[in-house]
Amino acid sequence: MKNKSMLIKQIDLNFVFVFVALLFVSMLASSCGETEPEISEDVSATEITDFAGRQLVYLLDEMDEAIEENPEGRRGPHVSVRSVRDGELFLISSRDWTSGFLPGVLWYMYELTGDDFWLEEARERTAPIEREKTNDGTHDMGFKIYCSFGNGYRLTGDPHYRDVIVESAQTLITRYNETVGAIRSWDFNRETWDFPVIIDNMMNLELLFRASEITGDPIYHDIAVQHSRTTMEHIFRDDNSSYHVVDFDTTTGEVRNLHTHQGEFHESAWARGQAWGLYGYAMAYRFTQLPEFLEQAEKIAEFMLNHPRLPDDLVPYWDFDAENIPSEPRDVSAAAITASALYELSTMVPENSDYYKQTADHMLASMYRNYRSDLGENLGFLLDHSTGNRPGGYEIATPIIYAEYYFIEAALRKQELEGS
Ligand code: GLY
């Protein structure tokens, strides 16, 4: 029979054994957590559409009321909504780079439901964006015109929409520079940049690719291909992350600066920038079938999805290199753009199709389950926690309209992929 002190020693040993075993199991679980993201219960496109339908009616009401009270903006009449700032709707004129997203959301709602209510809303909210077709002071023509008129033309075949697309593409290519081989992005900051090209600009090329398809004139397509190649050659680092801004010398075409504007620092990986690149190169591959663009998209996906600082719920911090992770704001818009791009990528790479589709499913579910507004809250926006410009100090962890656009687009792509 064991005496008391032996018994105590035995209990101590058992305790140590159990403690070490528990520690080992928990270390194993947390290290698995780094590679195997937490999985949110899948969400169907129908569930998202039902929720969006109810919430967006509220957004439109709130927006119309706010515009009635405050019709004139600094850059023209208020026509749409961009975000929630200080608890209020932030209204915008057609000039704002985000003016095409709300009409785009409404076109997608029409596509998802077939309901004429959304068709009429989409038409009404698209019309005021037309004045942008001759605005040559911006590279954001694709965001404004393709999301609105582009989707409208795809769904209705309206010849007027077609003309707007073509005229907008003609305006956009006036910003192309032969020596650089790219479309100029911004006109501000001229004391620092000679010819800035930003990764976001890849997104404006869909308008050009479509303009060539519509007209049969290759000029838009060729410029889009050259812009994609020039960007690809200079904006990516060896680890396949992207700078935000590459500044070119217009006399030699050489790179002058590799900078950030919305990221934490020049060498950091700004989350939405990575998402724009991923989406942009997958889209460029869709129109060109050039393997170099598909490879680039896959490399960006690999960088993002295997990043040690991508959280388990797959919604990135606003910058992968933000100083105070995990106490940094997330950027749901980056997740929405990425999810939509991954659905597209899943159709392009048969050997990785399941991986891309399942990851997109998890992102979509995570946004819906963890970042969705309560019905009737957030002034009618669907999602919370996007971060527009952290260094600029605005739109931090708040609802932003482009997150809604790519979130709904992702739901639509999921529905198409699942044939439902
Ligand atoms: N320039 C577009 C963006 O903020 O992502």
Side-chain angles (χ1 to χ4, degrees):
M1 199 179 148
K2 291 172 183 165
N3 67 28
K4 199 175 166 198
S5 81
M6 274 176 74
L7 209 58
I8 288 170
K9 271 193 191 132
Q10 182 66 50
I11 289 168
D12 278 353
L13 271 176
N14 284 347
F15 177 78
V16 169
F17 178 76
V18 169
F19 179 76
V20 170
L22 279 174
L23 197 67
F24 181 71
V25 168
S26 88
M27 278 168 65
L28 202 66
S30 77
S31 80
C32 282
E34 280 165 21
T35 49
E36 279 183 32
E38 194 176 278
I39 294 173
S40 296
E41 190 194 338
D42 195 34
V43 61
S44 68
T46 311
E47 205 175 332
I48 290 178
T49 309
D50 287 348
F51 164 70
R54 285 186 285 162
Q55 185 77 340
L56 288 170
V57 170
Y58 173 47
L59 176 70
L60 294 175
D61 280 351
E62 288 288 319
M63 184 181 93
D64 288 341
E65 203 176 300
I67 292 177
E68 214 177 295
E69 279 170 23
N70 179 15
E72 281 304 317
R74 204 167 41 87
R75 298 196 293 169
H78 283 145
V79 298
S80 196
V81 68
R82 168 167 167 161
S83 58
V84 177
R85 294 194 196 180
D86 302 324
E88 290 187 9
L89 287 182
F90 187 81
L91 301 175
I92 50 168
S93 68
S94 64
R95 275 269 157 145
D96 193 279
W97 76 272
T98 66
S99 63
F101 291 118
L102 177 68
V105 166
L106 301 171
W107 283 116
Y108 283 146
M109 286 303 290
Y110 172 55
E111 191 167 8
L112 280 158
T113 62
D115 187 334
D116 282 349
F117 170 80
W118 297 113
L119 173 65
E120 277 154 34
E121 287 290 343
R123 277 197 180 282
E124 188 186 326
R125 318 282 173 173
T126 291
I129 317 297
E130 179 170 345
R131 62 194 300 192
E132 293 306 305
K133 67 186 179 187
T134 53
N135 177 3
D136 62 3
T138 177
H139 73 129
D140 287 320
M141 190 69 97
F143 282 127
K144 294 183 200 179
I145 298 293
Y146 196 76
C147 298
S148 54
F149 285 89
N151 280 310
Y153 181 59
R154 186 173 60 79
L155 293 169
T156 66
D158 184 329
H160 179 65
Y161 290 177
R162 172 195 182 283
D163 295 345
V164 174
I165 292 169
V166 175
E167 196 173 343
S168 304
Q170 280 163 356
T171 305
L172 180 56
I173 62 170
T174 61
R175 297 178 69 81
Y176 182 71
N177 180 297
E178 286 279 355
T179 309
V180 173
I183 295 163
R184 181 187 186 95
S185 292
W186 292 323
D187 291 343
F188 62 85
N189 235 0
R190 281 185 187 262
E191 62 290 356
T192 307
W193 298 321
D194 181 3
F195 192 93
V197 174
I198 65 174
I199 187 67
D200 325 24
N201 202 347
M202 285 300 298
M203 301 297 288
N204 292 305
L205 305 182
E206 191 161 2
L207 173 77
L208 299 185
F209 285 124
R210 280 292 287 139
S212 275
E213 281 185 349
I214 289 170
T215 59
D217 183 342
I219 186 169
Y220 312 104
H221 178 106
D222 292 349
I223 285 177
V225 168
Q226 187 53 54
H227 180 98
S228 305
R229 285 192 165 134
T230 302
T231 304
M232 199 164 87
E233 191 181 337
H234 298 292
I235 215 164
F236 292 102
R237 305 185 183 96
D238 289 347
D239 65 359
N240 299 312
S241 68
S242 158
Y243 287 93
H244 187 188
V245 187
V246 50
D247 172 35
F248 292 95
D249 184 322
T250 39
T251 49
T252 62
E254 299 290 313
V255 173
R256 295 175 73 240
N257 292 298
L258 290 162
H259 279 174
T260 195
H261 184 64
Q262 281 155 265
E264 176 91 309
F265 50 95
H266 291 326
E267 291 299 325
S268 75
W270 174 50
R272 198 163 55 259
Q274 314 311 303
W276 290 141
L278 170 62
Y279 190 115
Y281 279 97
M283 178 271 296
Y285 177 70
R286 183 194 336 141
F287 284 100
T288 62
Q289 298 296 301
L290 288 167
E292 61 198 276
F293 295 157
L294 181 59
E295 277 162 29
Q296 189 61 53
E298 285 215 274
K299 286 184 199 166
I300 301 168
E302 198 181 327
F303 172 81
M304 295 180 80
L305 301 180
N306 293 317
H307 199 288
R309 287 187 291 280
L310 178 67
D312 288 353
D313 70 3
L314 300 183
V315 172
Y317 296 100
W318 70 279
D319 189 308
F320 283 96
D321 299 301
E323 208 182 331
N324 296 313
I325 289 174
S327 307
E328 293 279 354
R330 302 296 185 95
D331 182 9
V332 166
S333 77
I337 298 157
T338 303
S340 187
L342 290 175
Y343 280 126
E344 169 140 66
L345 208 50
S346 79
T347 67
M348 297 169 165
V349 191
E351 62 280 16
N352 280 333
S353 174
D354 287 350
Y355 168 62
Y356 291 138
K357 162 81 168 51
Q358 282 162 15
T359 309
D361 283 346
H362 296 160
M363 274 187 179
L364 193 68
S366 177
M367 284 184 278
Y368 183 75
R369 305 223 177 274
N370 307 322
Y371 298 88
R372 181 180 84 223
S373 305
D374 287 334
L375 206 58
E377 296 297 325
N378 272 339
L379 298 165
F381 275 85
L382 308 178
L383 299 168
D384 209 339
H385 288 283
S386 290
T387 296
N389 192 335
R390 177 86 162 104
Y394 60 88
E395 289 175 341
I396 298 164
T398 196
I400 304 183
I401 193 67
Y402 42 86
E404 321 268 294
Y405 177 85
Y406 293 100
F407 176 67
I408 293 291
E409 183 183 81
L412 183 63
R413 287 180 172 184
K414 177 178 169 67
Q415 177 168 282
E416 281 165 0
L417 283 171
E418 293 173 0
S420 54

